[in-house]
């Protein structure tokens, strides 16, 4: 069983590796994170801590957290990820299944 911490660590690794090629062309890489969670929610607080840790590490990443669907409405994050307008999101599996039909069957089997 995958824990939430392992999932977030894997997602961050994928985001960092996916943008590693852009590091030579830019001084900082922007990572925008969208979540429907309100600012007082534990998920948003964890994302804010992630932002603080990345900023303190000074690794050339600019993390911005957008709580309460302020950047993209809930349900529009998957298309934003597909277009390249967003780097990370805390979405549900059902939102992924709506946009990527080939995953819908495997998600239905898992759930």
């Amino acid at each position: 069983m995958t824990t939430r911490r392992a999932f977030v660590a894997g997602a961050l690794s994928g985001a960092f590796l996916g943008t590693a090629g852009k590091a030579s062309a830019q001084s900082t890489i922007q990572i925008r994170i969208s979540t429907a969670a309100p600012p007082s929610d534990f998920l948003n607080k964890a994302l804010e801590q992630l932002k603080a840790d990345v900023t303190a590490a000074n690794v050339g990443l600019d993390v911005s957290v957008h709580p309460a669907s302020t950047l993209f409405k809930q349900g529009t994050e998957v298309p934003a990820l597909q277009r390249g307008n967003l780097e990370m999101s805390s979405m549900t599996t059902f939102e992924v299944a709506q946009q990527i039909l080939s995953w819908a069957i495997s998600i239905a089997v898992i759930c």
Side-chain angles (χ1 to χ4, degrees):
M1 183 169 137
T2 303
T3 64
R4 187 180 305 229
R5 183 174 289 169
F7 177 77
V8 170
L12 283 175
S13 299
F16 295 153
L17 291 175
T19 58
K22 298 178 186 176
S24 60
Q26 298 174 337
S27 59
T28 60
I29 298 170
Q30 183 176 8
I31 305 290
R32 294 165 293 194
I33 306 173
S34 177
T35 180
S40 61
D41 190 67
F42 75 94
L43 176 61
N44 187 60
K45 290 179 181 180
L47 292 172
E48 289 293 341
Q49 183 62 47
L50 170 72
K51 176 183 176 181
D53 292 345
V54 170
T55 301
N58 195 21
V59 292
L61 295 174
D62 178 26
V63 177
S64 60
V65 179
H66 304 275
S69 300
T70 55
L71 187 61
F72 292 99
K73 293 189 321 186
Q74 187 176 11
T76 62
E77 291 102 345
V78 176
L81 287 164
Q82 291 171 326
R83 288 189 310 264
N85 297 336
L86 182 65
E87 287 74 37
M88 293 183 69
S89 173
S90 63
M91 64 192 119
T92 65
T93 55
F94 303 107
E95 292 171 329
V96 175
Q98 289 175 343
Q99 293 295 322
I100 306 171
L101 298 178
S102 61
W103 285 23
I105 295 171
S106 59
I107 289 173
V109 171
I110 293 170
C111 295

